[in-house]
Structure formats: C-alpha cells, structure tokens
Amino acid sequence: MSDTPFGFGLPPEEPEHGDEGKKKGDQGGQGGPANPFGFGGAGLPGGADNPFAAMFGSMNPADLGAAFQQLGQMLSYEGGPVNWDMAKDIARQTVAQGTQDGVKDASVGPAERAAVEEAVRLADLWLDQATSLPSGAGSAVAWSRAEWVEATLPVWKELVDPVAERVGAAMGSVLPEEMQAMAGPLLGMMRSMGGAMFGQQIGQAVGVLAGEVVGSTDIGLPLGPAGKAALLPVNIVSFGKDLGVPADEVRLYLALREAAHQRLFAHVPWLRSHLFGAVEGYARGIKVDTSKLEDVVGQLDPSNPEALQEALQGGMFQPQDTPEQKAALARLETALALVEGWVDAVVHEAAKPRLGSADALREMLRRRRATGGPAEQTFATLIGLELRPRRLRDASRLWASLTDARGVDGRDGLWEHPDMLPTASDLDDPDGFVHREQLDFSELDKMLGEAAQQNDPAKKDENEGDGEK
C-alpha cells in the first residue's frame, strides 16, 4: 500500500518539497514522524510561535493548494462508507505512475483491438469442442489499465461497501453513549475520515492490480460487465515477456481463459450471486477489533489520519472462530477452486492439441494464482480475506476425472444447481466423488421409479393383478 496515507502525498509529477524545503527539512527535521499530509517539517524559522508557518512554510503555493484541496475532499465527504470518488482518483493516479518495471499505461490502438477480437473469436471456436456451455461473450474488448479501473469499480463497490459500513458503525460505537449525542461533529469527521481511509486503500490496491491483470476475470470473480470478454494488451505483453512463447500464443491462451470464465458466468445463472454471497457471508462473520479504534478515537487528531490507516493495516479485522464463519470460508474457498479448476481443465483440453506452449502457460498461470498478489492483498487488507483458490490443482483433477467418466455433458451438467457440485471433502477424493455420484444417480432413478408406480393407481392395480395371476 502507499506510504502516503489517504493519498495525501503530492501528485506524482510534482516534487515532494520545494528546493528550499528540502534544505531546511534536512537541517531541522530530526526526530519525530514525518507529517502525514506531506506539509513539510517542523523546526522552520518561527515555527514555535507560528504553527501554521511551521506546517506550511516550506511549500510553494501550488503544493499548498493541492494539499488543502485533498484535505477538504476528505473532511467534506458526506456519502456512503467509502469515498469512491477518491478511490477512483487514486487508482487513476496509481495507473498513471506505471508499474515498478517502468511500463506505463497506453491507449489501445486499432491493431491491438483487432488482435484481441480475433483471439477471443478463435478461443470460442476451440471451446465449443471442450464444453457444452455455449459462448458467453457477446463482445470482445481491449482495455487500457485506466479503462479496467473504470469498468471494475462498480463490482469493487459491491464487494467492499458492506464491510466498510460495519467499520463505520464500529467507529461510532466506541464512543461512550452519553458522548454520542453530543459528538455529532466528531462522528461526522470520523465518518469522513473513514470514507477517505477506505477510498485511499481501495484506490491504491485497484490501481496496483490494474498493472498486473490480463483480463476481467483474473481473480475468479466477474469484475467486468456481463457478456464482455476483456483483455489488457499492455499487461499481456509484460506477462509473456520472459516466457519464450510467441506473443500470439500467449494472447490466445489468455483469451481462452477469459472466454471460458464468460461461458460459466453467463450460463450458470446462480454462480455470480453464489460467489458474492459467499464473500458477504464470510465478511459478516468478521469481527472489528474496537480496542484499536478506541485508541485511535481517544487521540483523534485531524492532522494525524495515518492512525486510522495503521489500525486498518495492523489487523483490525479478526475472523470469528465460529462454525458459521468456518463454513462460510470453506464454501467460498471451494467455490473459487471449482470455478478456477473447471476453467483450467477446459482450457487445457481446448489448448493442448493446438498450442505447443499450452503446458508451460498452464503451469505459469497456476503458480501465479497460487502465490497470490495484489488481489490477495486487496481482500486481506480490506475485508480480512485471502481470496485465492488454494485447491486449484485438486479441483482441476476432479473436473478431468469427471470428463473421463461422464463426458463433457455429464461434467458440465453439475453446474445446474449448487447442491450438485463437489464439496471440500470431495476434493480430497476426486475418483470417489465421480463413482459415488454415479451410483447415487442410478439409485435415485430406481427409487423415483418405484415411488411413481406406488402413486399411480392404474399401475398399482396392474401390478396387483399380475401378482394374483
């Protein structure tokens, strides 16, 4: 996350201080933490008698105006639990700075758009032979990183707002009851600071994530608009740079994964709500450590907002050790693993006969998902959840076994209802699940047939007549 809490550092194109400020900061800036707003050091001439000069004396007018503008944005916010305008601004600023390897964002040109459209079109043709689910991509789009931020923020809002709401309520509840009625301005300031706190964290995380994702479904959740298969050409180039694989093969393999996700989310209508409900169910069981908030509230200082940020980053979220919480976590981890495992198995089946690099790309992506990254940091920081399919390989083996045993239609038919899907324990024994389910289905057919005969008077009379003969 950013070292400048709440995004109050100066814009990236401006120096942190003027030349004069640097010199004076070096001379008198020993001891004490850096000012969280980036307003320059104390210890300037006249600082003891003039606190405003001490805070702002080293800044030029343009820097001072920018800092006041950001401070005003934080304290005047009156919206929901997250300042999403701030989140978007910080995400866009983060994208504009480029990634650590120096790669900057760039507008997508006509040639890149055409290449993405062709890759998705070909991917859908190959997938037609690997799955019974029809195409789910009504269109194929090529996004810049900034376009990815704009397109995915509505889903981030859906995921994060419920948790942020709970934190906001906790911030108010830490005040004694007799003070709450008299603390309207203070509570309003806390809500504004809380909204800015989450806005900064989310904006920074989403901006970093935009520098690494290659599509709209990288984290296993549908972050983009329904029916749009999206790829990010600039990130695909970075992803394939040191693999020794032709660029068109890398693009096509990633298009296969994006198109496979789109099929699943388009034609399994309950899946999206199932995944988002699992995230929300887990988040509901997270306990906010109000003792840390109490410490912050007791020393609340508008010039020290990093205290709230440190509370957020320092383990303020603690999962409750209850059966409900454990069940919610298992449900979410299993659902993510099944989605990613199905995509992995289907894409491998489609790519293996056609792409010489299929095995290498598959292993690269498996490792990438298993080791985590910005997406995992985002969820772990914001809602105390590591969003990562820990059992991807187990799930992929299970789907492959189902393909061998039941064929493509039998395998994909399990997505008709969540109760038909394998459970966490089934991932331990994929072959046992395949064979046990086959026996269960046949026994169920037999039981249903017998029940139908008993409930049908005509057949019942006929059977009784046959018995008398």
Side-chain angles (χ1 to χ4, degrees):
M1 296 299 171
S2 171
D3 293 332
T4 53
F6 296 91
F8 291 145
L10 300 175
E13 64 270 19
E14 296 288 341
E16 287 190 7
H17 306 280
D19 292 337
E20 182 182 354
K22 285 183 180 177
K23 289 179 190 170
K24 294 183 178 178
D26 291 341
Q27 292 169 356
Q30 356 173 344
N35 188 286
F37 295 100
F39 286 154
L44 298 171
D49 299 324
N50 186 346
F52 289 99
M55 288 181 69
F56 307 132
S58 67
M59 299 185 69
N60 62 50
D63 294 344
L64 185 59
F68 269 123
Q69 184 178 9
Q70 288 183 310
L71 178 60
Q73 182 184 6
M74 180 190 78
L75 295 179
S76 65
Y77 176 70
E78 297 180 349
V82 178
N83 188 331
W84 286 102
D85 289 336
M86 176 179 282
K88 182 165 77 169
D89 289 345
I90 292 175
R92 294 293 297 262
Q93 290 173 17
T94 304
V95 164
Q97 291 173 7
T99 50
Q100 290 184 350
D101 57 4
V103 178
K104 298 282 188 179
D105 193 20
S107 298
V108 180
E112 290 173 315
R113 294 188 188 280
V116 166
E117 290 171 359
E118 175 60 22
V120 173
R121 186 194 65 79
L122 184 56
D124 260 336
L125 285 176
W126 290 5
L127 288 172
D128 283 340
Q129 302 172 37
T131 173
S132 61
L133 299 180
S135 173
S139 61
V141 293
W143 284 340
S144 66
R145 293 167 180 167
E147 288 173 323
W148 182 90
V149 168
E150 295 280 352
T152 61
L153 271 179
V155 177
W156 291 114
K157 186 176 189 298
E158 185 177 349
L159 288 168
V160 175
D161 265 354
V163 182
E165 186 72 54
R166 294 179 64 249
V167 175
M171 289 171 70
S173 69
V174 298
L175 289 175
E177 288 185 18
E178 60 273 15
M179 289 182 60
Q180 290 188 22
M182 301 181 292
L186 177 59
L187 289 175
M189 182 184 294
M190 290 172 65
R191 279 193 295 269
S192 296
M193 292 176 71
M197 172 183 69
F198 269 101
Q200 189 273 340
Q201 293 287 324
I202 295 163
Q204 182 75 13
V206 171
V208 171
L209 187 57
E212 296 202 4
V213 294
V214 294
S216 71
T217 55
D218 279 32
I219 68 169
L221 295 171
L223 295 178
K228 278 191 177 180
L231 295 177
L232 282 71
V234 65
N235 290 354
I236 291 175
V237 171
S238 298
F239 173 84
K241 186 172 64 172
D242 299 321
L243 295 181
V245 177
D248 57 340
E249 288 195 21
V250 174
R251 186 192 306 112
L252 182 51
Y253 193 87
L254 297 175
L256 281 165
R257 289 185 53 82
E258 178 74 9
H261 276 102
Q262 293 293 336
R263 288 184 181 226
L264 201 55
F265 288 117
H267 299 291
V268 182
W270 54 264
L271 182 57
R272 186 184 189 279
S273 59
H274 180 74
L275 287 170
F276 281 64
V279 173
E280 187 177 346
Y282 180 80
R284 275 198 305 269
I286 292 175
K287 178 175 59 179
V288 178
D289 186 356
T290 55
S291 64
K292 293 190 177 182
L293 282 175
E294 288 173 359
D295 293 339
V296 173
V297 171
Q299 308 170 20
L300 189 61
D301 179 358
S303 68
N304 188 28
E306 80 271 19
L308 280 174
Q309 186 186 27
E310 288 170 2
L312 178 67
Q313 293 178 326
M316 187 168 65
F317 296 122
Q318 298 175 349
Q320 293 183 352
D321 189 19
T322 64
E324 293 80 11
Q325 179 75 347
K326 291 178 180 177
L329 178 59
R331 189 163 57 249
L332 177 58
E333 288 184 337
T334 302
L336 287 171
L338 290 174
V339 168
E340 291 297 284
W342 183 87
V343 168
D344 179 76
V346 167
V347 167
H348 184 69
E349 185 177 340
K352 177 71 172 172
R354 301 174 175 92
L355 291 179
S357 57
D359 287 333
L361 289 168
R362 181 191 205 189
E363 191 57 33
M364 173 69 178
L365 282 159
R366 280 180 165 185
R367 272 194 244 115
R368 189 173 186 248
R369 286 294 276 129
T371 55
E376 183 182 345
Q377 285 183 352
T378 299
F379 279 86
T381 301
L382 297 176
I383 61 175
L385 172 66
E386 292 183 359
L387 188 65
R388 156 170 73 161
R390 303 173 187 275
R391 310 198 62 183
L392 169 59
R393 293 176 188 270
D394 294 335
S396 184
R397 281 194 294 270
L398 184 145
W399 290 118
S401 297
L402 283 167
T403 307
D404 293 340
R406 303 188 191 176
V408 168
D409 291 342
R411 176 201 66 199
D412 294 346
L414 290 179
W415 289 106
E416 290 181 3
H417 193 277
D419 290 344
M420 297 175 65
L421 290 177
T423 63
S425 60
D426 293 325
L427 295 179
D428 296 327
D429 182 19
D431 291 333
F433 171 80
V434 171
H435 298 306
R436 184 178 70 250
E437 286 294 300
Q438 283 182 317
L439 288 173
D440 286 347
F441 285 146
S442 62
E443 287 297 320
L444 182 60
D445 288 341
K446 182 179 177 183
M447 290 169 60
L448 289 175
E450 291 174 351
Q453 285 185 346
Q454 290 176 359
N455 293 330
D456 187 338
K459 287 195 174 289
K460 186 176 180 182
D461 292 342
E462 182 180 336
N463 289 337
E464 287 176 353
D466 290 340
E468 291 174 0
K469 292 179 185 177

